[in-house]
Amino acid sequence: MKQYKVAILGATGAVGKEMMKILAERKFPISELHLLASERSVGTVLEWQGKPISVELACESAFEGMDIVLGAAENDIAKKFAPAIVKAGAVFVDNSSAFRMDPNVPLIVPEINPEDAKNHNGIIANPNCSTIITVTAVNALNALSPIRTMIASTYQAVSGAGAGGPIELAEQVEALRTGKSIETKVFPHQIAYNLIPQIGGEQFEGYTSEEMKMQNEGRKIMHLPDLKVSCTCVRVPVVRSHSISVQMHFDRKITVEEAREVIAKAPGCKLVDDLAKKEYPMPLETSDQDIVFVGRIRPDLTDENGLCLWCCGDQVRKGAATNAVQIAELLIDKE
Amino acid sequence: MKQYKVAILGATGAVGKEMMKILAERKFPISELHLLASERSVGTVLEWQGKPISVELACESAFEGMDIVLGAAENDIAKKFAPAIVKAGAVFVDNSSAFRMDPNVPLIVPEINPEDAKNHNGIIANPNCSTIITVTAVNALNALSPIRTMIASTYQAVSGAGAGGPIELAEQVEALRTGKSIETKVFPHQIAYNLIPQIGGEQFEGYTSEEMKMQNEGRKIMHLPDLKVSCTCVRVPVVRSHSISVQMHFDRKITVEEAREVIAKAPGCKLVDDLAKKEYPMPLETSDQDIVFVGRIRPDLTDENGLCLWCCGDQVRKGAATNAVQIAELLIDKE
């Protein structure tokens, strides 16, 4: 089996570290793993599969000879290095939002549109975390009858803001316990025992950038150019796993039984839907996993062609690192 | 000014204690305040306006001579004592759900349908907490054009489950900090750093009792018998104040500017809606107040006659105790 030279751009962040873990877990065929980061982290030694790897400087020459570069950095870093990565002949699987809506860049959830990956020109984008979790949950329904509209309200964990998110939540909980003053750095307001109904800046008609991703990325992934989505993104004091309350309107009526049946069989999904037994997706039970849990499937009481459901998934794994590694798996020779 | 004999049924619970506080705050004209509870609490002394009051046994004879009984007990207790309260000639303002959908019992949010209170037959029901907060937020829009459908996702604080809710959250956070095992008594699962997408048991087509209240009570309060609501109720690790993400469909298009204007003037509402300044309703900033905060008002991107918004309010106060005292104020002679 062919072995690949892989680099992680932004290896020292929460998503970068998770990518290292998932490459090992999924036994990705790697001959060399390079961990790239900014000057500040150069020389840091991280352990991978029992061996130490020194973090190297992310610079244009660092991509020479690489087959695959997994991007776990911010948009500006992704934009800065993309030309050098492509020029080096590597494929850039990028987790930032820099290239997601570029018509020349495929946007992939491997369970949904793996064939789109073939049309890449050196860059493949990894979608937004809440979007990945939601489309993984609803795509089996979309195959039954196209989704025309979605109303989504998210409940997003603090780890979605990077490694600093859980630290800030823990520090605030501790400050409250010990009577110290609350500091806010990562989030715009206190998140401990609070909710913040803003993720990202304003983008369109009062919707934030994070809220618009559900519509715009959802259209591209599910091949639904006319999909309309109204999304409300809310940060909640949960450490890990995003949850989404979704109402969908279809061309035809889909019964709850039909929906349960296709979701139970859908790749990447687990049906957890028994209210009488108090069984439904919850962040705690979906963390550190790659599966999107789906439950609370009900007829929409406002629209006979509608359905409501609740889904949960680990946004650091399936919502970011695992999905990126799954995309990389589409690129390799499996012989 | 006439002075009234008032009893609180279930005075030792979270809502009962808040009712005592609010009666004092609002200077309700009281000649005698009786605190009624089960045998277990009899003899407990609670302070009210600087004076000690001994808790008395809730029994049929306890209501004799009362003018107003504020109910802060469970459905079974409310049902058990309602006949004796009515027979004693008092008006029973009941916070349980026992009588809310009874066609002979008005269901009142004083800012919305105070005139309905006139038709009481001895019992007036106080609506569900999330419903009060949501209808207080949206009723000004309903006056512009009738609300036909609503999709609501709630983010409900632990204090909505009574005094035991915040204690359980605090105990679980402490258990996690000290490495002890988590106990669940009030909630069906761990609530610390988690979300529980179930409040109440199953009632209709997979919806819980709590979820159906938004439609059924909303219809009665806003005089919208055909209102259709799909609601998802979720418990979140927030101590106090419920939040609701709402999408509404109207007969006609209501612009965001129109909506902001009427909500800013609506009784019981405060418009907090400036995303650029990071200003929006949050549970922390709405706790211990009687006002429902409304923000994130946006056009619904799925429906040209739709709007989306986010609202927050203290469910122990406006969602329960304050609304009940406001109902009692409708009954008294203000001369």
Side-chain angles (χ1 to χ4, degrees):
Chain A
M1 192 177 183
K2 191 180 162 188
Q3 302 286 303
Y4 294 82
K5 293 183 183 170
V6 176
I8 299 175
L9 175 62
T12 54
V15 171
K17 284 184 178 163
E18 200 74 25
M19 284 171 171
M20 289 173 64
K21 194 170 138 190
I22 288 164
L23 287 169
E25 271 181 33
R26 296 177 76 98
K27 301 185 171 51
F28 197 89
I30 291 181
S31 55
E32 286 176 27
L33 180 64
H34 294 266
L35 306 179
L36 309 178
S38 64
E39 196 131 31
R40 195 163 49 93
S41 300
V42 171
T44 303
V45 177
L46 296 174
E47 197 187 278
W48 188 67
Q49 295 201 295
K51 280 173 254 169
I53 303 183
S54 286
V55 174
E56 299 165 66
L57 182 66
C59 61
E60 296 194 355
S61 62
F63 306 106
E64 283 165 21
M66 293 297 111
D67 298 304
I68 293 165
V69 176
L70 299 176
E74 295 297 325
N75 286 15
D76 55 341
I77 306 294
K79 279 185 193 157
K80 182 179 170 191
F81 290 119
I85 296 169
V86 174
K87 200 176 163 203
V91 180
F92 185 27
V93 179
D94 181 30
N95 192 51
S96 86
S97 64
F99 301 102
R100 287 179 191 156
M101 299 314 296
D102 184 327
N104 294 312
V105 173
L107 182 68
I108 305 289
V109 176
E111 291 87 345
I112 299 178
N113 61 336
E115 70 288 350
D116 290 351
K118 292 178 189 141
N119 303 319
H120 75 80
N121 298 297
I123 306 175
I124 301 177
N126 201 41
N128 166 261
C129 50
S130 294
T131 305
I132 292 179
I133 293 163
T134 306
V135 298
T136 301
V138 305
N139 189 61
L141 305 175
N142 184 45
L144 291 179
S145 176
I147 303 172
R148 295 305 178 197
T149 64
M150 277 174 45
I151 309 292
S153 293
T154 74
Y155 300 65
Q156 297 186 222
V158 293
S159 53
I167 294 169
E168 183 147 313
L169 173 59
E171 284 177 352
Q172 290 180 352
V173 167
E174 184 64 8
L176 289 165
R177 190 183 72 85
T178 55
K180 298 214 175 79
S181 64
I182 292 282
E183 285 183 38
T184 58
K185 287 168 287 188
V186 176
F187 301 112
H189 304 280
Q190 177 182 327
I191 186 61
Y193 309 109
N194 196 22
L195 306 167
I196 304 174
Q198 176 185 16
I199 303 178
E202 182 167 350
Q203 182 176 322
F204 178 75
E205 301 261 5
Y207 287 82
T208 66
S209 53
E210 184 84 357
E211 289 164 348
M212 292 311 297
K213 288 171 186 170
M214 190 74 85
Q215 172 176 290
N216 297 337
E217 299 185 18
R219 287 177 175 177
K220 189 167 172 177
I221 300 162
M222 296 194 287
H223 297 182
L224 288 171
D226 300 319
L227 176 69
K228 292 175 180 171
V229 182
S230 291
C231 183
T232 303
C233 288
V234 182
R235 188 74 67 189
V236 299
V238 163
V239 177
R240 195 148 161 165
S241 278
H242 288 355
S243 306
I244 305 102
S245 169
V246 191
Q247 177 263 7
M248 291 152 288
H249 169 85
F250 303 90
D251 274 354
R252 70 161 174 92
K253 181 179 173 66
I254 296 177
T255 66
V256 168
E257 293 66 32
E258 261 184 296
R260 287 206 178 113
E261 199 178 328
V262 297
I263 287 171
K265 290 181 200 158
C269 286
K270 181 176 176 178
L271 182 72
V272 182
D273 195 13
D274 192 334
L275 186 59
K277 290 186 179 159
K278 303 185 198 308
E279 290 174 0
Y280 24 72
M282 292 188 293
L284 269 191
E285 298 193 346
T286 56
S287 295
D288 279 315
Q289 291 171 64
D290 293 325
I291 298 290
V292 173
F293 286 39
V294 188
R296 298 297 324 272
I297 303 175
R298 293 157 287 159
D300 176 8
L301 302 180
T302 74
D303 179 338
E304 62 173 4
N305 290 355
L307 277 177
C308 294
L309 60 76
W310 168 262
C311 58
C312 265
D314 185 323
Q315 87 292 345
V316 183
R317 291 186 62 112
K318 181 56 191 167
T322 301
N323 199 73
V325 174
Q326 286 176 298
I327 293 172
E329 289 171 349
L330 296 174
L331 302 171
I332 64 174
D333 188 349
K334 303 226 176 63
E335 297 292 297
Chain B
M1 192 177 183
K2 190 180 163 187
Q3 302 285 304
Y4 294 81
K5 293 182 183 172
V6 175
I8 299 175
L9 174 62
T12 55
V15 171
K17 283 183 179 163
E18 199 74 25
M19 284 171 169
M20 289 173 65
K21 195 169 136 189
I22 288 164
L23 286 168
E25 271 181 33
R26 295 178 74 98
K27 301 185 170 51
F28 197 90
I30 291 181
S31 55
E32 287 177 26
L33 179 64
H34 294 266
L35 306 179
L36 309 178
S38 64
E39 196 131 30
R40 193 163 49 92
S41 299
V42 171
T44 303
V45 177
L46 297 173
E47 197 187 280
W48 188 68
Q49 296 199 295
K51 281 173 252 167
I53 305 184
S54 286
V55 174
E56 300 165 65
L57 182 67
C59 60
E60 297 193 355
S61 62
F63 306 106
E64 283 164 21
M66 293 299 110
D67 297 303
I68 293 166
V69 177
L70 299 176
E74 295 296 324
N75 285 16
D76 55 340
I77 306 295
K79 279 184 192 157
K80 181 180 171 190
F81 290 119
I85 296 169
V86 174
K87 201 175 163 204
V91 181
F92 184 27
V93 179
D94 181 30
N95 191 50
S96 86
S97 64
F99 301 102
R100 288 179 191 156
M101 299 313 298
D102 184 328
N104 293 314
V105 173
L107 181 69
I108 305 289
V109 176
E111 290 87 346
I112 299 178
N113 61 335
E115 71 288 352
D116 290 351
K118 291 179 190 140
N119 303 319
H120 76 79
N121 298 295
I123 307 176
I124 301 177
N126 202 41
N128 166 261
C129 48
S130 293
T131 305
I132 291 179
I133 292 163
T134 306
V135 298
T136 301
V138 305
N139 190 61
L141 305 175
N142 183 46
L144 291 179
S145 176
I147 303 172
R148 294 306 177 196
T149 65
M150 276 174 45
I151 309 290
S153 293
T154 74
Y155 301 65
Q156 296 186 224
V158 293
S159 52
I167 294 169
E168 183 147 313
L169 173 59
E171 284 177 351
Q172 291 181 352
V173 167
E174 184 66 6
L176 289 165
R177 190 181 72 84
T178 56
K180 298 214 176 80
S181 64
I182 292 283
E183 285 184 38
T184 57
K185 287 169 287 189
V186 176
F187 302 111
H189 304 279
Q190 176 182 325
I191 186 62
Y193 309 109
N194 196 22
L195 306 167
I196 304 174
Q198 177 185 16
I199 302 177
E202 181 166 349
Q203 181 176 322
F204 178 75
E205 301 262 5
Y207 286 83
T208 66
S209 53
E210 184 83 358
E211 288 164 349
M212 293 310 299
K213 288 170 186 170
M214 189 75 82
Q215 171 176 292
N216 297 337
E217 298 184 18
R219 286 177 176 178
K220 189 167 172 177
I221 299 162
M222 296 192 288
H223 297 183
L224 288 172
D226 300 318
L227 176 69
K228 292 175 179 171
V229 181
S230 291
C231 183
T232 303
C233 288
V234 182
R235 188 74 67 190
V236 299
V238 162
V239 178
R240 196 149 160 165
S241 277
H242 288 355
S243 305
I244 304 103
S245 169
V246 191
Q247 177 263 8
M248 292 152 287
H249 169 85
F250 303 91
D251 273 353
R252 71 160 173 94
K253 181 178 173 66
I254 296 176
T255 66
V256 168
E257 294 64 35
E258 263 185 295
R260 288 207 178 112
E261 199 178 328
V262 298
I263 287 172
K265 290 181 201 156
C269 286
K270 181 175 176 179
L271 181 71
V272 182
D273 195 12
D274 193 334
L275 187 58
K277 290 187 180 158
K278 303 184 200 306
E279 290 174 0
Y280 24 72
M282 292 188 293
L284 269 190
E285 297 192 346
T286 55
S287 295
D288 279 314
Q289 291 170 63
D290 293 324
I291 298 290
V292 174
F293 286 40
V294 188
R296 299 298 322 273
I297 302 174
R298 291 158 289 160
D300 176 8
L301 302 180
T302 74
D303 180 338
E304 63 173 2
N305 289 354
L307 277 178
C308 295
L309 60 76
W310 168 261
C311 58
C312 266
D314 185 324
Q315 88 291 347
V316 183
R317 291 185 63 111
K318 181 56 192 166
T322 301
N323 199 73
V325 174
Q326 286 176 299
I327 292 172
E329 288 171 352
L330 297 173
L331 302 170
I332 64 175
D333 189 347
K334 303 226 176 64
E335 298 291 296

